[in-house]
Amino acid sequence: MGKIIALANQKGGVGKTTTAINLAASLAVLGKKTLLIDADPQANATSGLGFDINGANIYDCISGDKTAEEVILPCPEVKKLSVMPSSINLVGAETELSTMENGHYRLKEILAPVKDQYDFLLIDCSPSLGFVTVNALVAADSVLIPVQCEYFALEGLGKLLNTVKMVKGQLNPSLEIEGFVLTMYSRTRLANQVALEVREHFGHLAFETIVQRNIRLSEAPSYGKPALLYDAASTGSINYLNLAKEFIKRNKK
Ligand code: ADP
Ligand code: MG
């Protein structure tokens, strides 16, 4: 049965999209059938994998014009990876969902018919806790939280964790926290301190694999590729491959 994981953090620029793209690609390369769902109107995951940000997309599903199957595209270069693209139109979904009956459950309904065709379905959320992100948390089995190794990293996590709690309490009782992933780590005293704090705070929920700051990870999207296809030997590729291995191992238990 497919597992849906929402990548969320209402801070922008913490590595949600980079983690969504590269974790999804790594899971696929390791043999897991994976769907990357772009739920951010900025559509960075869509363009970062080389897809058209003006094609059929998640918004067409929300508005009822298309089914999931009609918008999902296979990633030509990564065999077991598919993408549900996004577009700037998704901005409009905020008001549409708020007036829709059962608007919180829309994405869950959209994904239901395709969920079991995949091992993992990753949702790349926008840096907002609006309707679309709540939809992602309602559709999800778990939430994966990228945490940037910088000052104030933990500040603001409280707000996200409260939203997760609210969704779990009112809309999706089975929602769990998949874990916290440290991103953009560099060997500085500050980064070490953040890493330590996250481990102290969240214990085993913090992934052992830490994603280092690596220029290849920021270059790859402009070539429309995951880092693994852009520079397979790069630290970034290896970090995300290791994260995927740890992720698979944790999900075996
Ligand atoms: P978010 O989706 O949370 O807004 P992104 O994944 O888009 O964050 O990352 C923000 C910026 O940081 C992007 O330009 C991205 O390429 C860059 N970036 C993310 N992770 C890394 C990393 N480990 N090393 C170097 N640059 C990174
Ligand atoms: Mg993003």
Side-chain angles (χ1 to χ4, degrees), residues 35-62 66-75 82-90 107 110-111 118 122-124 132:
L35 176 66
L36 174 54
I37 298 149
D38 192 347
D40 184 346
Q42 287 185 57
N44 291 333
T46 303
S47 59
L49 280 171
F51 290 95
D52 184 5
I53 56 166
N54 298 303
N57 62 80
I58 187 170
Y59 176 71
D60 301 314
C61 298
I62 290 173
K66 287 202 159 42
T67 64
E69 302 236 37
E70 287 172 324
V71 308
I72 291 171
L73 297 168
C75 193
S82 297
V83 175
M84 177 183 272
S86 183
S87 92
I88 189 70
N89 291 346
L90 187 59
L107 189 58
I110 292 163
L111 296 177
Y118 300 93
L122 307 189
I123 310 178
D124 183 27
V132 175

mmCIF file of all heavy atoms in Angstrom, residues 35-62 66-75 82-90 107 110-111 118 122-124 132:
data_model
loop_
_atom_site.group_PDB
_atom_site.id
_atom_site.type_symbol
_atom_site.label_atom_id
_atom_site.label_comp_id
_atom_site.label_asym_id
_atom_site.label_seq_id
_atom_site.Cartn_x
_atom_site.Cartn_y
_atom_site.Cartn_z
ATOM 1 N N LEU A 35 5.935 8.755 -6.471
ATOM 2 C CA LEU A 35 5.258 9.889 -7.114
ATOM 3 C C LEU A 35 5.606 11.154 -6.340
ATOM 4 O O LEU A 35 5.451 11.203 -5.122
ATOM 5 C CB LEU A 35 3.738 9.688 -7.103
ATOM 6 C CG LEU A 35 2.912 10.859 -7.661
ATOM 7 C CD1 LEU A 35 3.169 11.063 -9.153
ATOM 8 C CD2 LEU A 35 1.416 10.647 -7.412
ATOM 9 N N LEU A 36 6.107 12.146 -7.045
ATOM 10 C CA LEU A 36 6.368 13.448 -6.432
ATOM 11 C C LEU A 36 5.213 14.376 -6.787
ATOM 12 O O LEU A 36 4.954 14.633 -7.972
ATOM 13 C CB LEU A 36 7.705 14.008 -6.932
ATOM 14 C CG LEU A 36 8.059 15.427 -6.508
ATOM 15 C CD1 LEU A 36 7.993 15.598 -4.992
ATOM 16 C CD2 LEU A 36 9.453 15.790 -6.979
ATOM 17 N N ILE A 37 4.508 14.844 -5.778
ATOM 18 C CA ILE A 37 3.353 15.725 -5.984
ATOM 19 C C ILE A 37 3.771 17.149 -5.645
ATOM 20 O O ILE A 37 4.185 17.428 -4.511
ATOM 21 C CB ILE A 37 2.186 15.279 -5.068
ATOM 22 C CG1 ILE A 37 1.764 13.852 -5.430
ATOM 23 C CG2 ILE A 37 1.010 16.256 -5.160
ATOM 24 C CD1 ILE A 37 1.245 13.056 -4.259
ATOM 25 N N ASP A 38 3.696 18.029 -6.627
ATOM 26 C CA ASP A 38 4.095 19.419 -6.385
ATOM 27 C C ASP A 38 2.874 20.205 -5.918
ATOM 28 O O ASP A 38 1.946 20.435 -6.700
ATOM 29 C CB ASP A 38 4.675 20.021 -7.675
ATOM 30 C CG ASP A 38 5.374 21.349 -7.421
ATOM 31 O OD1 ASP A 38 5.203 21.919 -6.324
ATOM 32 O OD2 ASP A 38 6.100 21.820 -8.326
ATOM 33 N N ALA A 39 2.863 20.592 -4.652
ATOM 34 C CA ALA A 39 1.714 21.315 -4.094
ATOM 35 C C ALA A 39 2.086 22.758 -3.753
ATOM 36 O O ALA A 39 1.533 23.357 -2.832
ATOM 37 C CB ALA A 39 1.179 20.587 -2.862
ATOM 38 N N ASP A 40 3.041 23.287 -4.495
ATOM 39 C CA ASP A 40 3.465 24.677 -4.289
ATOM 40 C C ASP A 40 3.264 25.444 -5.598
ATOM 41 O O ASP A 40 3.767 25.019 -6.645
ATOM 42 C CB ASP A 40 4.952 24.688 -3.897
ATOM 43 C CG ASP A 40 5.472 26.088 -3.566
ATOM 44 O OD1 ASP A 40 4.768 27.079 -3.882
ATOM 45 O OD2 ASP A 40 6.579 26.186 -3.015
ATOM 46 N N PRO A 41 2.508 26.565 -5.562
ATOM 47 C CA PRO A 41 2.297 27.323 -6.801
ATOM 48 C C PRO A 41 3.594 27.844 -7.432
ATOM 49 O O PRO A 41 3.617 28.168 -8.615
ATOM 50 C CB PRO A 41 1.398 28.486 -6.366
ATOM 51 C CG PRO A 41 1.317 28.445 -4.891
ATOM 52 C CD PRO A 41 1.786 27.112 -4.424
ATOM 53 N N GLN A 42 4.669 27.878 -6.648
ATOM 54 C CA GLN A 42 5.953 28.272 -7.244
ATOM 55 C C GLN A 42 6.469 27.215 -8.209
ATOM 56 O O GLN A 42 7.352 27.483 -9.024
ATOM 57 C CB GLN A 42 6.988 28.506 -6.149
ATOM 58 C CG GLN A 42 6.754 29.774 -5.360
ATOM 59 C CD GLN A 42 7.871 30.021 -4.360
ATOM 60 O OE1 GLN A 42 9.030 30.107 -4.736
ATOM 61 N NE2 GLN A 42 7.516 30.116 -3.093
ATOM 62 N N ALA A 43 5.944 26.002 -8.088
ATOM 63 C CA ALA A 43 6.238 24.904 -9.012
ATOM 64 C C ALA A 43 7.729 24.621 -9.190
ATOM 65 O O ALA A 43 8.172 24.205 -10.265
ATOM 66 C CB ALA A 43 5.568 25.162 -10.383
ATOM 67 N N ASN A 44 8.503 24.797 -8.139
ATOM 68 C CA ASN A 44 9.948 24.548 -8.234
ATOM 69 C C ASN A 44 10.290 23.069 -8.417
ATOM 70 O O ASN A 44 11.277 22.736 -9.075
ATOM 71 C CB ASN A 44 10.675 25.070 -6.992
ATOM 72 C CG ASN A 44 10.663 26.578 -6.909
ATOM 73 O OD1 ASN A 44 10.577 27.259 -7.935
ATOM 74 N ND2 ASN A 44 10.717 27.123 -5.708
ATOM 75 N N ALA A 45 9.488 22.203 -7.839
ATOM 76 C CA ALA A 45 9.752 20.764 -8.005
ATOM 77 C C ALA A 45 9.444 20.359 -9.450
ATOM 78 O O ALA A 45 10.131 19.524 -10.037
ATOM 79 C CB ALA A 45 8.925 19.942 -7.026
ATOM 80 N N THR A 46 8.406 20.975 -10.021
ATOM 81 C CA THR A 46 8.022 20.690 -11.402
ATOM 82 C C THR A 46 9.135 21.122 -12.372
ATOM 83 O O THR A 46 9.628 20.320 -13.170
ATOM 84 C CB THR A 46 6.712 21.450 -11.745
ATOM 85 O OG1 THR A 46 5.702 21.046 -10.806
ATOM 86 C CG2 THR A 46 6.253 21.168 -13.158
ATOM 87 N N SER A 47 9.544 22.378 -12.262
ATOM 88 C CA SER A 47 10.582 22.873 -13.175
ATOM 89 C C SER A 47 11.929 22.231 -12.863
ATOM 90 O O SER A 47 12.726 21.964 -13.757
ATOM 91 C CB SER A 47 10.677 24.393 -13.109
ATOM 92 O OG SER A 47 10.972 24.819 -11.795
ATOM 93 N N GLY A 48 12.175 21.964 -11.591
ATOM 94 C CA GLY A 48 13.458 21.373 -11.172
ATOM 95 C C GLY A 48 13.673 19.973 -11.727
ATOM 96 O O GLY A 48 14.789 19.479 -11.780
ATOM 97 N N LEU A 49 12.581 19.320 -12.117
ATOM 98 C CA LEU A 49 12.716 18.009 -12.753
ATOM 99 C C LEU A 49 12.508 18.106 -14.261
ATOM 100 O O LEU A 49 12.337 17.098 -14.949
ATOM 101 C CB LEU A 49 11.744 17.003 -12.134
ATOM 102 C CG LEU A 49 12.227 16.407 -10.806
ATOM 103 C CD1 LEU A 49 11.123 15.587 -10.144
ATOM 104 C CD2 LEU A 49 13.477 15.539 -10.999
ATOM 105 N N GLY A 50 12.480 19.342 -14.761
ATOM 106 C CA GLY A 50 12.433 19.538 -16.204
ATOM 107 C C GLY A 50 11.042 19.506 -16.811
ATOM 108 O O GLY A 50 10.902 19.405 -18.027
ATOM 109 N N PHE A 51 10.006 19.593 -15.977
ATOM 110 C CA PHE A 51 8.648 19.563 -16.517
ATOM 111 C C PHE A 51 8.125 20.973 -16.760
ATOM 112 O O PHE A 51 8.549 21.935 -16.120
ATOM 113 C CB PHE A 51 7.708 18.807 -15.565
ATOM 114 C CG PHE A 51 7.978 17.342 -15.523
ATOM 115 C CD1 PHE A 51 8.804 16.795 -14.545
ATOM 116 C CD2 PHE A 51 7.430 16.489 -16.478
ATOM 117 C CE1 PHE A 51 9.065 15.435 -14.510
ATOM 118 C CE2 PHE A 51 7.686 15.127 -16.449
ATOM 119 C CZ PHE A 51 8.507 14.602 -15.469
ATOM 120 N N ASP A 52 7.130 21.038 -17.666
ATOM 121 C CA ASP A 52 6.501 22.295 -18.065
ATOM 122 C C ASP A 52 5.608 22.805 -16.934
ATOM 123 O O ASP A 52 4.739 22.082 -16.453
ATOM 124 C CB ASP A 52 5.653 22.001 -19.314
ATOM 125 C CG ASP A 52 5.014 23.255 -19.889
ATOM 126 O OD1 ASP A 52 5.292 24.355 -19.380
ATOM 127 O OD2 ASP A 52 4.230 23.111 -20.854
ATOM 128 N N ILE A 53 5.809 24.064 -16.539
ATOM 129 C CA ILE A 53 4.974 24.625 -15.470
ATOM 130 C C ILE A 53 3.674 25.223 -16.030
ATOM 131 O O ILE A 53 2.901 25.821 -15.293
ATOM 132 C CB ILE A 53 5.725 25.683 -14.631
ATOM 133 C CG1 ILE A 53 6.265 26.809 -15.522
ATOM 134 C CG2 ILE A 53 6.872 25.058 -13.860
ATOM 135 C CD1 ILE A 53 6.716 28.021 -14.732
ATOM 136 N N ASN A 54 3.452 25.039 -17.333
ATOM 137 C CA ASN A 54 2.205 25.520 -17.932
ATOM 138 C C ASN A 54 1.338 24.387 -18.465
ATOM 139 O O ASN A 54 0.358 24.613 -19.168
ATOM 140 C CB ASN A 54 2.507 26.513 -19.066
ATOM 141 C CG ASN A 54 3.236 27.732 -18.549
ATOM 142 O OD1 ASN A 54 2.744 28.407 -17.657
ATOM 143 N ND2 ASN A 54 4.430 28.000 -19.073
ATOM 144 N N GLY A 55 1.701 23.170 -18.116
ATOM 145 C CA GLY A 55 0.928 22.022 -18.577
ATOM 146 C C GLY A 55 -0.192 21.685 -17.607
ATOM 147 O O GLY A 55 -0.450 22.418 -16.652
ATOM 148 N N ALA A 56 -0.903 20.575 -17.892
ATOM 149 C CA ALA A 56 -1.950 20.099 -16.983
ATOM 150 C C ALA A 56 -1.307 19.850 -15.623
ATOM 151 O O ALA A 56 -0.177 19.371 -15.539
ATOM 152 C CB ALA A 56 -2.572 18.823 -17.532
ATOM 153 N N ASN A 57 -2.015 20.208 -14.560
ATOM 154 C CA ASN A 57 -1.379 20.170 -13.246
ATOM 155 C C ASN A 57 -2.373 19.936 -12.118
ATOM 156 O O ASN A 57 -3.578 19.824 -12.339
ATOM 157 C CB ASN A 57 -0.602 21.476 -13.024
ATOM 158 C CG ASN A 57 -1.532 22.669 -13.034
ATOM 159 O OD1 ASN A 57 -2.182 22.942 -12.029
ATOM 160 N ND2 ASN A 57 -1.637 23.352 -14.167
ATOM 161 N N ILE A 58 -1.843 19.922 -10.926
ATOM 162 C CA ILE A 58 -2.606 19.626 -9.711
ATOM 163 C C ILE A 58 -3.828 20.529 -9.558
ATOM 164 O O ILE A 58 -4.866 20.111 -9.063
ATOM 165 C CB ILE A 58 -1.665 19.724 -8.480
ATOM 166 C CG1 ILE A 58 -2.365 19.263 -7.193
ATOM 167 C CG2 ILE A 58 -1.091 21.126 -8.311
ATOM 168 C CD1 ILE A 58 -1.413 19.106 -6.005
ATOM 169 N N TYR A 59 -3.733 21.753 -10.025
ATOM 170 C CA TYR A 59 -4.872 22.667 -9.911
ATOM 171 C C TYR A 59 -6.068 22.175 -10.733
ATOM 172 O O TYR A 59 -7.222 22.281 -10.312
ATOM 173 C CB TYR A 59 -4.491 24.093 -10.329
ATOM 174 C CG TYR A 59 -5.685 25.018 -10.314
ATOM 175 C CD1 TYR A 59 -6.255 25.409 -9.100
ATOM 176 C CD2 TYR A 59 -6.281 25.449 -11.497
ATOM 177 C CE1 TYR A 59 -7.378 26.221 -9.071
ATOM 178 C CE2 TYR A 59 -7.404 26.258 -11.477
ATOM 179 C CZ TYR A 59 -7.947 26.642 -10.263
ATOM 180 O OH TYR A 59 -9.063 27.436 -10.236
ATOM 181 N N ASP A 60 -5.783 21.590 -11.907
ATOM 182 C CA ASP A 60 -6.862 21.040 -12.733
ATOM 183 C C ASP A 60 -7.585 19.903 -12.013
ATOM 184 O O ASP A 60 -8.768 19.678 -12.233
ATOM 185 C CB ASP A 60 -6.300 20.525 -14.074
ATOM 186 C CG ASP A 60 -5.606 21.635 -14.856
ATOM 187 O OD1 ASP A 60 -6.185 22.722 -14.956
ATOM 188 O OD2 ASP A 60 -4.482 21.406 -15.341
ATOM 189 N N CYS A 61 -6.845 19.195 -11.153
ATOM 190 C CA CYS A 61 -7.464 18.128 -10.360
ATOM 191 C C CYS A 61 -8.328 18.727 -9.259
ATOM 192 O O CYS A 61 -9.447 18.289 -9.018
ATOM 193 C CB CYS A 61 -6.397 17.227 -9.732
ATOM 194 S SG CYS A 61 -5.381 16.370 -10.930
ATOM 195 N N ILE A 62 -7.794 19.751 -8.590
ATOM 196 C CA ILE A 62 -8.540 20.379 -7.492
ATOM 197 C C ILE A 62 -9.841 20.983 -8.009
ATOM 198 O O ILE A 62 -10.901 20.837 -7.400
ATOM 199 C CB ILE A 62 -7.666 21.431 -6.776
ATOM 200 C CG1 ILE A 62 -6.546 20.723 -6.002
ATOM 201 C CG2 ILE A 62 -8.507 22.310 -5.839
ATOM 202 C CD1 ILE A 62 -5.516 21.632 -5.381
ATOM 203 N N LYS A 66 -9.702 17.547 -14.206
ATOM 204 C CA LYS A 66 -8.898 16.395 -14.609
ATOM 205 C C LYS A 66 -8.728 15.433 -13.441
ATOM 206 O O LYS A 66 -8.808 15.839 -12.284
ATOM 207 C CB LYS A 66 -7.518 16.874 -15.088
ATOM 208 C CG LYS A 66 -7.549 17.556 -16.456
ATOM 209 C CD LYS A 66 -6.177 17.510 -17.087
ATOM 210 C CE LYS A 66 -6.194 17.692 -18.588
ATOM 211 N NZ LYS A 66 -7.047 18.679 -19.160
ATOM 212 N N THR A 67 -8.448 14.175 -13.770
ATOM 213 C CA THR A 67 -8.157 13.201 -12.716
ATOM 214 C C THR A 67 -6.645 13.173 -12.495
ATOM 215 O O THR A 67 -5.875 13.681 -13.330
ATOM 216 C CB THR A 67 -8.593 11.781 -13.140
ATOM 217 O OG1 THR A 67 -7.801 11.402 -14.276
ATOM 218 C CG2 THR A 67 -10.064 11.738 -13.500
ATOM 219 N N ALA A 68 -6.224 12.558 -11.402
ATOM 220 C CA ALA A 68 -4.793 12.444 -11.113
ATOM 221 C C ALA A 68 -4.070 11.756 -12.281
ATOM 222 O O ALA A 68 -3.035 12.224 -12.749
ATOM 223 C CB ALA A 68 -4.580 11.676 -9.812
ATOM 224 N N GLU A 69 -4.650 10.668 -12.755
ATOM 225 C CA GLU A 69 -4.018 9.906 -13.848
ATOM 226 C C GLU A 69 -3.783 10.782 -15.077
ATOM 227 O O GLU A 69 -2.835 10.572 -15.825
ATOM 228 C CB GLU A 69 -4.912 8.731 -14.275
ATOM 229 C CG GLU A 69 -5.205 7.799 -13.128
ATOM 230 C CD GLU A 69 -4.824 6.360 -13.401
ATOM 231 O OE1 GLU A 69 -3.793 6.134 -14.068
ATOM 232 O OE2 GLU A 69 -5.556 5.482 -12.913
ATOM 233 N N GLU A 70 -4.678 11.737 -15.288
ATOM 234 C CA GLU A 70 -4.572 12.585 -16.477
ATOM 235 C C GLU A 70 -3.458 13.628 -16.380
ATOM 236 O O GLU A 70 -3.035 14.164 -17.396
ATOM 237 C CB GLU A 70 -5.915 13.284 -16.751
ATOM 238 C CG GLU A 70 -6.976 12.334 -17.290
ATOM 239 C CD GLU A 70 -8.358 12.974 -17.370
ATOM 240 O OE1 GLU A 70 -8.697 13.787 -16.486
ATOM 241 O OE2 GLU A 70 -9.094 12.653 -18.310
ATOM 242 N N VAL A 71 -3.018 13.934 -15.176
ATOM 243 C CA VAL A 71 -1.971 14.965 -15.073
ATOM 244 C C VAL A 71 -0.598 14.404 -14.684
ATOM 245 O O VAL A 71 0.418 15.054 -14.884
ATOM 246 C CB VAL A 71 -2.362 16.122 -14.101
ATOM 247 C CG1 VAL A 71 -3.726 16.680 -14.466
ATOM 248 C CG2 VAL A 71 -2.328 15.694 -12.661
ATOM 249 N N ILE A 72 -0.574 13.188 -14.121
ATOM 250 C CA ILE A 72 0.700 12.606 -13.692
ATOM 251 C C ILE A 72 1.561 12.250 -14.908
ATOM 252 O O ILE A 72 1.070 11.676 -15.881
ATOM 253 C CB ILE A 72 0.463 11.352 -12.816
ATOM 254 C CG1 ILE A 72 -0.150 11.773 -11.467
ATOM 255 C CG2 ILE A 72 1.754 10.567 -12.606
ATOM 256 C CD1 ILE A 72 -0.621 10.618 -10.604
ATOM 257 N N LEU A 73 2.835 12.622 -14.839
ATOM 258 C CA LEU A 73 3.755 12.354 -15.948
ATOM 259 C C LEU A 73 4.932 11.514 -15.468
ATOM 260 O O LEU A 73 5.459 11.751 -14.381
ATOM 261 C CB LEU A 73 4.294 13.675 -16.503
ATOM 262 C CG LEU A 73 3.267 14.632 -17.108
ATOM 263 C CD1 LEU A 73 3.899 15.998 -17.351
ATOM 264 C CD2 LEU A 73 2.702 14.048 -18.401
ATOM 265 N N PRO A 74 5.357 10.539 -16.281
ATOM 266 C CA PRO A 74 6.543 9.773 -15.904
ATOM 267 C C PRO A 74 7.796 10.613 -16.129
ATOM 268 O O PRO A 74 7.854 11.414 -17.061
ATOM 269 C CB PRO A 74 6.506 8.573 -16.852
ATOM 270 C CG PRO A 74 5.726 9.034 -18.030
ATOM 271 C CD PRO A 74 4.782 10.112 -17.562
ATOM 272 N N CYS A 75 8.762 10.448 -15.268
ATOM 273 C CA CYS A 75 10.029 11.160 -15.408
ATOM 274 C C CYS A 75 10.868 10.373 -16.422
ATOM 275 O O CYS A 75 11.203 9.221 -16.181
ATOM 276 C CB CYS A 75 10.711 11.197 -14.043
ATOM 277 S SG CYS A 75 12.076 12.325 -13.961
ATOM 278 N N SER A 82 7.498 9.364 -11.007
ATOM 279 C CA SER A 82 6.509 10.145 -11.742
ATOM 280 C C SER A 82 6.237 11.429 -10.973
ATOM 281 O O SER A 82 6.538 11.521 -9.785
ATOM 282 C CB SER A 82 5.196 9.370 -11.888
ATOM 283 O OG SER A 82 5.407 8.207 -12.644
ATOM 284 N N VAL A 83 5.657 12.391 -11.685
ATOM 285 C CA VAL A 83 5.436 13.702 -11.076
ATOM 286 C C VAL A 83 4.007 14.169 -11.345
ATOM 287 O O VAL A 83 3.493 14.012 -12.456
ATOM 288 C CB VAL A 83 6.436 14.735 -11.665
ATOM 289 C CG1 VAL A 83 6.143 16.130 -11.135
ATOM 290 C CG2 VAL A 83 7.870 14.341 -11.335
ATOM 291 N N MET A 84 3.383 14.725 -10.312
ATOM 292 C CA MET A 84 2.144 15.470 -10.513
ATOM 293 C C MET A 84 2.551 16.936 -10.475
ATOM 294 O O MET A 84 2.887 17.468 -9.414
ATOM 295 C CB MET A 84 1.121 15.162 -9.413
ATOM 296 C CG MET A 84 -0.158 15.981 -9.557
ATOM 297 S SD MET A 84 -1.339 15.689 -8.219
ATOM 298 C CE MET A 84 -2.232 14.311 -8.900
ATOM 299 N N PRO A 85 2.564 17.604 -11.651
ATOM 300 C CA PRO A 85 3.115 18.958 -11.705
ATOM 301 C C PRO A 85 2.227 19.993 -11.023
ATOM 302 O O PRO A 85 1.063 19.731 -10.736
ATOM 303 C CB PRO A 85 3.177 19.253 -13.213
ATOM 304 C CG PRO A 85 2.904 17.969 -13.912
ATOM 305 C CD PRO A 85 2.118 17.119 -12.963
ATOM 306 N N SER A 86 2.819 21.165 -10.814
ATOM 307 C CA SER A 86 2.074 22.304 -10.292
ATOM 308 C C SER A 86 2.168 23.452 -11.289
ATOM 309 O O SER A 86 2.835 23.336 -12.329
ATOM 310 C CB SER A 86 2.649 22.731 -8.949
ATOM 311 O OG SER A 86 1.879 23.788 -8.401
ATOM 312 N N SER A 87 1.481 24.525 -10.979
ATOM 313 C CA SER A 87 1.604 25.748 -11.774
ATOM 314 C C SER A 87 1.154 26.906 -10.903
ATOM 315 O O SER A 87 0.569 26.701 -9.839
ATOM 316 C CB SER A 87 0.743 25.687 -13.038
ATOM 317 O OG SER A 87 -0.535 26.233 -12.793
ATOM 318 N N ILE A 88 1.396 28.102 -11.374
ATOM 319 C CA ILE A 88 1.032 29.298 -10.621
ATOM 320 C C ILE A 88 -0.479 29.354 -10.364
ATOM 321 O O ILE A 88 -0.932 29.958 -9.395
ATOM 322 C CB ILE A 88 1.560 30.571 -11.339
ATOM 323 C CG1 ILE A 88 1.396 31.821 -10.475
ATOM 324 C CG2 ILE A 88 0.890 30.769 -12.684
ATOM 325 C CD1 ILE A 88 2.310 31.866 -9.273
ATOM 326 N N ASN A 89 -1.252 28.652 -11.217
ATOM 327 C CA ASN A 89 -2.717 28.612 -11.030
ATOM 328 C C ASN A 89 -3.129 28.110 -9.659
ATOM 329 O O ASN A 89 -4.222 28.398 -9.190
ATOM 330 C CB ASN A 89 -3.366 27.658 -12.050
ATOM 331 C CG ASN A 89 -3.276 28.202 -13.452
ATOM 332 O OD1 ASN A 89 -2.968 29.375 -13.631
ATOM 333 N ND2 ASN A 89 -3.521 27.363 -14.439
ATOM 334 N N LEU A 90 -2.234 27.330 -9.056
ATOM 335 C CA LEU A 90 -2.564 26.728 -7.761
ATOM 336 C C LEU A 90 -2.877 27.794 -6.704
ATOM 337 O O LEU A 90 -3.562 27.515 -5.722
ATOM 338 C CB LEU A 90 -1.423 25.812 -7.305
ATOM 339 C CG LEU A 90 -1.670 24.966 -6.055
ATOM 340 C CD1 LEU A 90 -2.872 24.040 -6.232
ATOM 341 C CD2 LEU A 90 -0.432 24.161 -5.700
ATOM 342 N N LEU A 107 -7.493 16.894 -1.794
ATOM 343 C CA LEU A 107 -6.287 16.216 -2.296
ATOM 344 C C LEU A 107 -6.315 14.721 -1.952
ATOM 345 O O LEU A 107 -5.882 13.884 -2.746
ATOM 346 C CB LEU A 107 -5.020 16.881 -1.736
ATOM 347 C CG LEU A 107 -3.706 16.406 -2.344
ATOM 348 C CD1 LEU A 107 -3.656 16.602 -3.858
ATOM 349 C CD2 LEU A 107 -2.517 17.150 -1.708
ATOM 350 N N ILE A 110 -8.402 13.130 -4.493
ATOM 351 C CA ILE A 110 -7.716 13.111 -5.794
ATOM 352 C C ILE A 110 -6.693 11.975 -5.855
ATOM 353 O O ILE A 110 -6.545 11.298 -6.866
ATOM 354 C CB ILE A 110 -7.027 14.478 -6.051
ATOM 355 C CG1 ILE A 110 -8.090 15.566 -6.265
ATOM 356 C CG2 ILE A 110 -6.062 14.417 -7.225
ATOM 357 C CD1 ILE A 110 -7.547 16.989 -6.113
ATOM 358 N N LEU A 111 -5.982 11.780 -4.749
ATOM 359 C CA LEU A 111 -4.897 10.786 -4.742
ATOM 360 C C LEU A 111 -5.383 9.355 -4.495
ATOM 361 O O LEU A 111 -4.681 8.394 -4.837
ATOM 362 C CB LEU A 111 -3.841 11.166 -3.697
ATOM 363 C CG LEU A 111 -3.108 12.487 -3.960
ATOM 364 C CD1 LEU A 111 -2.143 12.798 -2.820
ATOM 365 C CD2 LEU A 111 -2.350 12.442 -5.292
ATOM 366 N N TYR A 118 1.816 3.236 -6.126
ATOM 367 C CA TYR A 118 3.173 3.661 -5.747
ATOM 368 C C TYR A 118 3.565 3.093 -4.387
ATOM 369 O O TYR A 118 2.709 2.765 -3.570
ATOM 370 C CB TYR A 118 3.241 5.203 -5.676
ATOM 371 C CG TYR A 118 2.904 5.838 -6.999
ATOM 372 C CD1 TYR A 118 1.595 6.232 -7.281
ATOM 373 C CD2 TYR A 118 3.876 6.003 -7.991
ATOM 374 C CE1 TYR A 118 1.262 6.784 -8.513
ATOM 375 C CE2 TYR A 118 3.550 6.550 -9.224
ATOM 376 C CZ TYR A 118 2.248 6.938 -9.476
ATOM 377 O OH TYR A 118 1.930 7.475 -10.694
ATOM 378 N N LEU A 122 5.429 11.552 -2.330
ATOM 379 C CA LEU A 122 5.952 12.691 -1.570
ATOM 380 C C LEU A 122 5.251 13.971 -2.022
ATOM 381 O O LEU A 122 5.165 14.234 -3.225
ATOM 382 C CB LEU A 122 7.458 12.857 -1.793
ATOM 383 C CG LEU A 122 8.379 11.656 -1.553
ATOM 384 C CD1 LEU A 122 9.845 12.108 -1.609
ATOM 385 C CD2 LEU A 122 8.117 11.007 -0.206
ATOM 386 N N ILE A 123 4.763 14.754 -1.070
ATOM 387 C CA ILE A 123 4.124 16.026 -1.423
ATOM 388 C C ILE A 123 5.039 17.181 -1.030
ATOM 389 O O ILE A 123 5.372 17.351 0.149
ATOM 390 C CB ILE A 123 2.774 16.208 -0.700
ATOM 391 C CG1 ILE A 123 1.874 14.977 -0.869
ATOM 392 C CG2 ILE A 123 2.065 17.465 -1.222
ATOM 393 C CD1 ILE A 123 0.534 15.086 -0.114
ATOM 394 N N ASP A 124 5.450 17.958 -2.019
ATOM 395 C CA ASP A 124 6.266 19.142 -1.752
ATOM 396 C C ASP A 124 5.324 20.315 -1.447
ATOM 397 O O ASP A 124 4.637 20.798 -2.334
ATOM 398 C CB ASP A 124 7.146 19.464 -2.970
ATOM 399 C CG ASP A 124 8.075 20.638 -2.711
ATOM 400 O OD1 ASP A 124 8.429 20.880 -1.537
ATOM 401 O OD2 ASP A 124 8.463 21.318 -3.691
ATOM 402 N N VAL A 132 -4.090 24.618 0.900
ATOM 403 C CA VAL A 132 -3.452 23.564 0.109
ATOM 404 C C VAL A 132 -2.525 22.728 0.991
ATOM 405 O O VAL A 132 -2.507 21.498 0.910
ATOM 406 C CB VAL A 132 -2.685 24.162 -1.104
ATOM 407 C CG1 VAL A 132 -1.916 23.080 -1.842
ATOM 408 C CG2 VAL A 132 -3.668 24.845 -2.063
#
